[in-house]
């Protein structure tokens, strides 16, 4: 029994006329009638009662009509689902991201992706000690948003944006009223940074900037997310050097000041395994570039 036979049967069962049913499916009547006979022979039952005046369904035909409609509808559903998955409009997308990238543009990327592809199940992975490169190559993630520079053999890295660093300090700090602060003047200050294993590129960039300014940063505290880092700054536990977009956190007890002598950039990148991108991952990557371009123009 083939789907085509079921389609022909449904047509004649609904029309109750072989000529009209054959015309409906674009066939000549003789081969149409032969297909219905073949279906009855395969099932070993009579589906239609035929007279010179009328065609009617037998009890077996009535039962098959309901089942055939369900099977054909399910077939259409399966075809549509597979085609949507092939276009990246359905399925599951696994996106990793580092805590150091979890503010600013990332939430807007996720919102736009969800609005455009609501039938894609988006799984976000923010495990602190996750090796994003290894997870991508092992097939545990489809792509990730991380702080750059990022290097891992077999992983493609595409920069999304870069932004200036700023200094975050408590509003009660003696230098909070200064509009621009020279990096080299902070040698004696306690710093709050991400642990290196959490954001090695960001950590190394900040450390290298300080060394370039003549000192190694005195790391007083470490925290695994920007809200925690900024919260510690607000509590007066130290200062931090953060990407400009960290201002979006809008802490009441923290001010952000321009840094003079800070030569590095805070960079955000999208990474994925080799050149292998699923259709849904390709859509997410395109939206990530789109959103960061819009942010750059803003």
């Amino acid at each position: 029994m083939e789907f085509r036979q079921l389609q022909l049967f449904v047509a004649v069962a609904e029309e109750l006329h072989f000529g009209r049913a054959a015309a409906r499916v674009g066939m000549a009547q003789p081969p149409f009638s032969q297909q219905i006979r073949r279906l009855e022979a395969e099932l070993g039952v009579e589906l239609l009662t035929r007279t010179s005046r009328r065609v009617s369904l037998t009890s077996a035909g009535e039962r098959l009509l309901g089942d055939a409609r369900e099977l054909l509808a399910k077939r259409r559903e399966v075809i549509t689902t597979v085609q949507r998955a092939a276009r990246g409009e359905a399925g599951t997308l696994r996106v990793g991201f580092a805590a150091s990238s979890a503010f600013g543009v990332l939430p807007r990327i996720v919102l736009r992706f969800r609005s455009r592809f609501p039938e894609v199940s988006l799984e976000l992975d923010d495990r602190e000690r996750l090796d994003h490169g290894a997870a991508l190559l092992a097939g545990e993630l489809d792509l990730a948003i991380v702080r750059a520079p990022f290097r891992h053999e077999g992983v493609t890295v595409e920069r999304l944006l870069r932004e200036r660093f700023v200094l975050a300090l408590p509003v009660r700090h003696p230098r909070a009223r200064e509009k621009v602060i020279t990096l080299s003047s902070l040698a004696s200050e306690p710093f709050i940074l991400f642990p290196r294993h959490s954001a090695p590129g960001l950590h190394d960039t900040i450390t290298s900037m300080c060394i370039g300014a003549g000192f190694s940063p005195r790391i007083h505290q470490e925290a695994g997310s920007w809200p925690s880092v900024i919260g510690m700054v607000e509590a007066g536990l130290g200062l931090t050097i953060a990407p400009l977009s960290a201002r979006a956190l809008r802490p009441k007890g923290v001010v952000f000041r321009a840094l003079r002598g800070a030569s590095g950039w805070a960079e955000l990148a999208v990474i994925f395994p080799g050149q292998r991108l699923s259709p849904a991952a390709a859509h997410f990557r395109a939206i990530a570039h789109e959103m960061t371009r819009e942010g750059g123009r803003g």
Side-chain angles (χ1 to χ4, degrees), residues 3 24 92 99 116 123 141 167 215 251:
F3 280 110
R24 170 173 153 180
T92 300
R116 290 188 184 173
E123 297 180 357
L141 295 175
L167 180 68
F215 70 97

Side-chain angles (χ1 to χ4, degrees), residues 45-125:
V45 299
E46 189 177 62
L47 300 172
L48 299 160
T49 300
R50 304 159 177 85
T51 69
S52 59
R53 294 186 175 183
R54 63 191 298 268
V55 176
S56 61
L57 289 169
T58 65
S59 59
E62 290 177 353
R63 176 56 189 267
L64 180 60
L65 178 59
D67 290 341
R69 283 170 171 162
E70 289 184 13
L71 284 170
L72 292 172
K74 185 63 178 178
R75 176 177 179 267
R76 288 192 295 271
E77 179 186 334
V78 169
I79 292 172
T80 299
T81 300
V82 170
Q83 290 174 340
R84 289 180 64 80
R87 295 193 299 265
E89 299 170 358
T92 300
L93 180 64
R94 300 156 302 171
V95 179
F97 66 93
S100 59
S101 66
F103 67 91
V105 73
L106 179 60
R108 294 188 288 119
I109 294 172
V110 170
L111 284 172
R112 182 166 293 185
F113 182 85
R114 286 191 181 279
S115 70
R116 290 188 184 173
F117 303 99
E119 294 185 32
V120 176
S121 176
L122 193 58
E123 297 180 357
L124 301 176
D125 191 333

